[in-house]
């Protein structure tokens, strides 16, 4: 095997040092943003610091974090000693420590609450990435106890992230039930403090906690009684819509469930592929339960084809109305449906498959015996003709088919199909499309944001270029943040 040359080792060092220097520079920028945001009470600076941290997440190491602590916290402070104790000593022994503590640290009168909570956030991210979940649970609990004594709007952004990772660590260790009482107490505290970002984050965490254990009634009671306000985070709003769609589906309110699930999938960022896949899976089931057949393009979306294959075959079975094919697909992908939590919903689809098959039969035959109907529907029972008669009667009563039953001869007699354009169905279809487009337009208008006094000030070309550059950087950071969030 060829030994690496001196030139190769120099090139490796040259590529490592700029990366380490960039990480150190970004950490210093984060420090400046948090300190400035704390003194000027600007929440947007704290939010920008969090977004930069998500970008730097993969470069974090023991050396960077300990050096950052030495620079922003007094070494002899209680917060510094407590935070350093959470860092595993052997995690960065083989890495280059480029961000060491300064030789002379400026005296600090007190530790900024924003900086202390941010340091907790940094340690929590590092421990989760190292899969050290037990230590991460202890760190998150300690940070939650510290947050109960801090009531500042500039801390709310950091607190919402701490709440999220606090729940995530317990979910990864299968101990979500242990923190349900704590989450309820934190939600009550956030409500009393008018922390709206914390309220929507904790509400979603509580809904996820309840749905994890299939406690749909309790989740709906909490959701209906929780205070309502305008959403502050697009990610949290998407999660809320997804959980609402799941609750509505279980409660048989399929129309509202379909609207919530499709809206969640549409609002989710393109980088949140896993979240959008889950939304589409539930949306497909709900549309099938409503008697609709999703378009093929739903299953052919980029990056989703493999994950949606079981639901595509299920849709094909429902569309054809073949009960035997439906059973085969349900058995073939039983493990997939069970892991997705949609197995019980698929059991409900059996009635829809029978109804679709019966509708196809009524269109194809003007008169057919009930025994032949049972054969075509592949009803496996002791008295298929009697079962077919009851199924046809119920379909006629519900308006699924336009036919009559000749009980004397055992026939199903279909009526002539009329012209659909002589009914109000086309008008209803166009009306639903127009309402959908108007809702999208109204949501887009509400989402527009303008800088203050933009109509009064005329910016120069240099300021315009600087603003456009900042907007591009912000959009890049937000895209990477969305990928991490979902």
């Amino acid at each position: 095997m060829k030994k690496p040359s001196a030139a190769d080792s120099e090139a490796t060092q040259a590529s490592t040092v700029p990366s380490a220097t960039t990480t150190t520079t970004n950490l210093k920028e984060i420090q400046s943003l948090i300190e400035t945001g704390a003194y000027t009470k600007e929440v947007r600076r704290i939010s920008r610091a969090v977004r930069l941290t998500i970008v730097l997440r993969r470069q974090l190491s023991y050396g960077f974090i300990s050096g950052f602590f030495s620079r922003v916290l007094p070494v002899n402070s209680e917060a510094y000693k407590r935070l350093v104790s959470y860092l595993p000593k052997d995690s960065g022994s083989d890495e280059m420590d480029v961000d060491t503590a300064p030789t002379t640290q400026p005296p600090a009168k007190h530790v900024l609450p924003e900086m202390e909570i941010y340091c907790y956030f940094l340690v929590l991210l590092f421990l989760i990435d190292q899969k050290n979940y037990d230590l991460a649970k202890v760190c998150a609990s300690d940070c939650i106890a510290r947050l109960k004594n801090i009531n500042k709007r500039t801390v709310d952004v950091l607190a919402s992230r701490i709440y999220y990772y606090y729940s995530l660590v317990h979910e990864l260790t299968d101990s979500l039930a242990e923190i349900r009482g704590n989450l309820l107490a934190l939600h009550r505290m956030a409500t009393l403090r008018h922390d709206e970002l914390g309220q929507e984050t904790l509400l979603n965490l509580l809904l996820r906690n309840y749905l994890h254990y299939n406690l749909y009634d309790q989740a709906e009671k909490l959701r209906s009684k929780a205070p309502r306000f305008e959403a502050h985070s697009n990610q949290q709003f998407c999660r809320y819509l997804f959980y609402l769609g799941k609750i509505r589906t279980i409660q048989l309110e399929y129309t509202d469930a379909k609207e919530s699930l499709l809206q969640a999938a549409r609002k989710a960022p393109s980088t949140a592929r896993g979240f959008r896949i889950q939304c589409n899976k539930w949306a497909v089931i709900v549309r099938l339960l409503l008697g609709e057949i999703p378009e093929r393009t739903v299953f052919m979306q980029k990056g989703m084809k493999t994950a949606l294959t079981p639901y595509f075959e299920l849709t094909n079975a429902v569309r054809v109305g073949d009960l035997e094919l439906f059973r085969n697909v349900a058995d073939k992908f039983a493990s997939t449906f069970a892991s997705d939590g949609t197995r019980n919903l698929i059991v409900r689809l059996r009635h829809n498959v029978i109804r679709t098959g019966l509708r196809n039969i009524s269109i194809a035959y003007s008169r057919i015996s009930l025994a032949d109907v049972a054969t075509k529907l592949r009803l496996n029972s002791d008295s298929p003709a009697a079962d077919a008669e009851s199924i046809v009667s119920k379909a006629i009563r519900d308006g699924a088919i336009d036919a009559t039953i000749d009980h004397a001869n055992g026939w199903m007699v279909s009526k002539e199909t009329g012209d659909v354009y002589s009914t109000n169905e086309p008008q209803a279809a166009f009306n639903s499309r127009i309402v959908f487009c108007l809702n999208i337009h109204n949501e887009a208008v509400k989402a527009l944001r303008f800088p203050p006094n933009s109509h009064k000030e005329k910016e120069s070309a240099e300021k315009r270029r600087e603003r456009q550059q900042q907007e591009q950087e912000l959009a890049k950071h937000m895209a990477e943040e969305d990928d991490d969030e979902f």
Side-chain angles (χ1 to χ4, degrees), residues 20 105 180 193 198 245 261 265 315 339 373 385 431 446 454 480 484:
Q105 188 183 40
R180 191 177 302 152
R193 292 178 175 179
L261 291 168
T315 302
S339 62
V373 170
N431 181 62
K446 290 179 182 179
S454 59
E480 294 177 352
D484 176 79

Side-chain angles (χ1 to χ4, degrees), residues 218-232:
Q218 296 185 30
E220 172 58 19
K221 289 178 181 178
L222 172 68
R223 188 208 63 80
S224 61
K225 295 181 183 298
R228 299 179 182 179
F229 44 81
E230 185 179 355
H232 291 264

Side-chain angles (χ1 to χ4, degrees), residues 15 49 140 161 177 266 271 312 330 332 414 457 469 480:
S15 62
R161 294 305 181 94
R266 188 174 66 251
T271 52
F312 175 71
K332 180 181 177 181
S414 301
E457 301 176 359
Q469 183 179 1
E480 294 177 352

